[in-house]
Amino acid sequence: MADVLPLVEARLRTALGEPDARAAVTFLGTDRIEVLRFPAGGPEGDIVRYATLGMSAQPMSDPTAVLADPVKGPRAELVLSVRAGVADTDKVLRPLAVLAASPQVEGVVVAPGASLDVGEPLWPGAPFTSVLVAEPGGLVEDLELDAPLDPVRFLPLLPMTPNEAAWKRVHGAQALQERWLTQGTDLRDPSRRSVPLE
């Protein structure tokens, strides 16, 4: 079976440019997870992006399955985009690696619409402790792999305040995203306040 990670890294570089930093985290009983930082630049200028590398090495499996299928199953990496220079967002590397390891550690399948909680601020002083997993395909195209492997999807993460996360649990991901849209929320602002939820 071909190692998918070099292909994943090549796709990230094609879409986001050259990373200027990378950090590796290994959790007990899991494969190594790297987080790459892609510097601000390009058409948007001030957006820095963080992408995981390693989550897609194994397919995610249904936590109720007796045996995990080593070949078939969804594969994904996580991508976070924030405005540069507003907060110490480089400290997000470890929380991102924790989220990327969650399929191996907790047996969860990470998919669009899901909430992922790290239980602490995503970076020092951040008003967010969780993220909403958004639909893939906009920033980094899916990476098709040889059959029977599922493609690797690059899932954008949208930071949520605790109030937004609680509201989303009741009303759903679609309703929260519509609320953000109607309020003109800058989801890349690392110090933004919670959207009005009344």
Side-chain angles (χ1 to χ4, degrees), residues 28-175:
L28 192 64
T30 68
D31 296 332
R32 187 169 100 138
I33 303 282
E34 287 190 279
V35 180
L36 310 185
R37 185 181 75 174
F38 295 88
E44 293 177 286
D46 64 343
I47 304 296
V48 62
R49 304 189 196 281
Y50 303 91
T52 63
L53 180 63
M55 182 176 169
S56 62
Q58 306 289 333
M60 294 182 275
S61 58
D62 183 339
T64 61
V66 178
L67 282 175
D69 190 319
V71 176
K72 293 182 78 89
R75 294 173 188 260
E77 297 290 354
L78 308 175
V79 181
L80 175 69
S81 302
V82 290
R83 295 204 179 283
V86 180
D88 188 9
T89 55
D90 282 353
K91 296 287 196 308
V92 79
L93 299 178
R94 184 168 176 79
L96 268 185
V98 168
L99 295 179
S102 62
Q104 288 184 59
V105 175
E106 298 168 31
V108 297
V109 175
V110 176
S115 301
L116 303 175
D117 197 316
V118 293
E120 61 185 28
L122 292 176
W123 52 82
F128 319 106
T129 58
S130 62
V131 293
L132 175 65
V133 182
E135 289 291 335
L139 186 63
V140 185
E141 285 183 29
D142 291 357
L143 173 64
E144 297 293 335
L145 300 173
D146 293 337
L149 302 183
D150 286 28
V152 177
R153 304 171 87 198
F154 298 88
L155 302 172
L157 301 181
L158 307 175
M160 292 188 292
T161 66
N163 282 350
E164 290 169 340
W167 197 84
K168 180 252 173 192
R169 278 194 292 278
V170 175
H171 299 280
Q174 184 69 38

Side-chain angles (χ1 to χ4, degrees), residues 132-135 158 167 172-182:
L132 175 65
V133 182
E135 289 291 335
L158 307 175
W167 197 84
Q174 184 69 38
L176 178 59
Q177 288 180 297
E178 286 170 8
R179 181 61 59 105
W180 281 335
L181 197 60
T182 57

